[in-house]
Amino acid sequence: MVMKILGVETSCDETGIAIYCEEEGIIANRVYSQIRLHQKYGGVIPELASRDHIRKTLPLIQEVLEENAIKRNEISAIAYTAGPGLVGALLVGASVAKSLALAWGIPSLGIHHMEGHLLATLLTKDPPAYPFIALLISGGHTQLIACYRNHRYQLLGESQDDAAGEAFDKVAKMLGLAYPGGPEIEKLAKKGDSERFYFPRPMTRKPGLDFSFSGLKTAVMNEVKSLEKIRPQDAEDLAAGFQKAALDTIKIKCERALDYTGLKRLVIAGGVSANMALRENLERTALEKEFKIYYPPLDLCTDNGAMIAFAGYQRLKSGQKEDLTIKVKARWPLADESI
Ligand code: AMP
Ligand code: MG
């Protein structure tokens, strides 16, 4: 029988349900975003996220199966996000996935959310060959990882405080922009002068591959406070200056990771990888330094079930098995194999 894997993603504020078929690729991919639910609070409220996943997960699975005329007995396994993420939200997806898998008599597979993001790049027409460096930049993570072969990852560096996406979100909030802030900052930055305010490029003077974005965020906050009133031009210039500093920092660390390891391929995944200025910035460096950049398809950059279904397929093929215990991890280093 052709294998079809159901993917369930509930680690944060998106309920993602998808089906990966080993012959046809992604055959269904539905994402229900809770953004509107959290927008008025300026960030994700974990308890509200869990409750909404409870409302949405099962009906969305049912819809995806019906819309695609797929019967339960055609599903070979259910992959779900087991971490890292909001623990309540993760528990919803894990409980639903494991209960269905038990009822349908098929295996369930707990997937690392960041591995999902990373492997989504393999779903493009021109996928990267191993080994490569992965830059994972999302609302909760900023990591540089050396990927040597399937499921063999080495963490090279990560953020010591705020994640890159979190910094975009917090700066956006300071400027009175809507959540999530990344796309809003990007839009505003296009109209701004990135040279008017100078912001630090944290941790770039010392050697090493770790990041820190909290000082950069505070530097923006200080400028905001020093201005009597934020006029539209000020907001545009602040957004442009902040974005330039954040993207320069990311670029310097990527170049360094490639230099240290001698690798020539860079995979960029996670929500912040949707930022076009980041892509242009890195593409210019790639031309100069002769390395190649790979991205997941744009619609798979932010959280979705397709990347979880695909990672589940890979894990199933490599023999991952698990018992009935429902275990999720709010924190879970990618280099650590076990759930
Ligand atoms: P994820 O955690 O992978 O779901 O991605 C969500 C994060 O990506 C949020 O922090 C967003 O602000 C950020 N993000 C999304 N689009 C962009 C963008 N165009 N530029 C910068 N950050 C972005
Ligand atoms: Mg998200």
Side-chain angles (χ1 to χ4, degrees):
M1 192 175 85
V2 178
M3 272 207 270
K4 290 193 180 88
I5 316 291
L6 178 68
V8 178
E9 154 65 35
T10 63
S11 67
C12 188
D13 57 347
E14 272 101 16
T15 314
I17 306 295
I19 297 171
Y20 176 79
C21 165
E22 67 177 336
E23 278 189 354
E24 295 166 65
I26 301 296
I27 50 176
N29 182 22
R30 286 277 300 274
V31 177
Y32 169 78
S33 172
Q34 302 178 349
I35 282 177
R36 280 177 49 209
L37 178 73
H38 301 289
Q39 223 153 25
K40 61 173 177 261
Y41 306 101
V44 178
I45 307 293
E47 181 56 26
L48 294 184
S50 311
R51 289 186 212 169
D52 213 41
H53 285 306
I54 290 175
R55 281 190 287 268
K56 294 293 180 327
T57 308
L58 260 182
L60 210 53
I61 292 176
Q62 213 156 8
E63 276 177 39
V64 162
L65 292 176
E66 278 167 16
E67 274 168 11
N68 295 280
I70 293 171
K71 295 192 193 70
R72 290 169 186 187
N73 59 9
E74 290 176 59
I75 302 291
S76 327
I78 307 183
Y80 61 93
T81 307
L86 303 172
V87 79
L90 289 166
L91 275 171
V92 177
S95 314
V96 170
K98 292 198 80 112
S99 311
L100 280 182
L102 176 67
W104 296 353
I106 54 176
S108 61
L109 301 138
I111 300 300
H112 194 294
H113 181 78
M114 302 313 282
E115 182 177 63
H117 274 307
L118 197 158
L119 293 181
T121 317
L122 302 182
L123 289 167
T124 50
K125 285 203 188 82
D126 174 26
Y130 288 102
F132 55 79
I133 298 284
L135 167 70
L136 300 179
I137 32 175
S138 68
H141 291 86
T142 308
Q143 295 182 326
L144 275 165
I145 294 165
C147 307
Y148 294 108
R149 59 192 162 86
N150 243 353
H151 316 315
R152 283 287 169 268
Y153 310 116
Q154 182 194 1
L155 180 68
L156 301 175
E158 64 184 332
S159 180
Q160 302 299 299
D161 39 59
D162 293 354
E166 195 179 350
F168 270 86
D169 294 338
K170 287 179 176 168
V171 168
K173 202 170 175 181
M174 288 174 212
L175 299 178
L177 305 172
Y179 174 84
E184 301 293 321
I185 293 274
E186 184 178 7
K187 246 187 272 164
L188 213 59
K190 277 195 193 128
K191 296 187 258 173
D193 171 7
S194 63
E195 306 297 321
R196 177 170 156 208
F197 300 99
Y198 183 80
F199 295 121
R201 274 70 174 152
M203 297 181 83
T204 53
R205 294 222 179 118
K206 297 189 284 184
L209 295 169
D210 285 333
F211 298 84
S212 161
F213 287 103
S214 125
L216 171 58
K217 175 195 68 188
T218 310
V220 180
M221 169 94 87
N222 291 340
E223 287 292 353
V224 168
K225 280 188 185 152
S226 74
L227 294 166
E228 253 170 55
K229 184 170 174 271
I230 308 275
R231 291 169 222 281
Q233 186 65 55
D234 299 328
E236 288 160 11
D237 295 344
L238 284 163
F242 160 74
Q243 178 171 276
K244 179 110 193 350
L247 302 189
D248 277 355
T249 306
I250 291 169
K251 184 189 75 178
I252 292 168
K253 298 285 171 166
C254 287
E255 275 184 83
R256 218 177 257 181
L258 292 160
D259 278 349
Y260 283 179
T261 56
L263 298 180
K264 289 281 175 199
R265 287 180 284 265
L266 176 67
V267 164
I268 307 178
V272 184
S273 72
N275 187 294
M276 287 302 158
L278 168 85
R279 292 183 176 210
E280 284 158 20
N281 206 349
L282 280 165
E283 294 290 353
R284 273 195 301 274
T285 316
L287 274 179
E288 265 169 46
K289 297 272 169 93
E290 297 182 339
F291 61 86
K292 195 162 175 211
I293 305 185
Y294 300 82
Y295 308 95
L298 205 54
D299 60 331
L300 300 186
C301 278
T302 41
D303 294 347
N304 63 85
M307 65 185 196
I308 301 302
F310 179 62
Y313 170 67
Q314 302 283 341
R315 289 254 164 207
L316 193 66
K317 274 202 311 183
S318 60
Q320 178 171 318
K321 286 200 173 66
E322 59 185 49
D323 62 21
L324 291 176
T325 325
I326 295 176
K327 252 193 278 176
V328 295
K329 280 188 173 180
R331 289 176 174 273
W332 182 9
L334 184 54
D336 176 2
E337 282 285 292
S338 56
I339 297 176

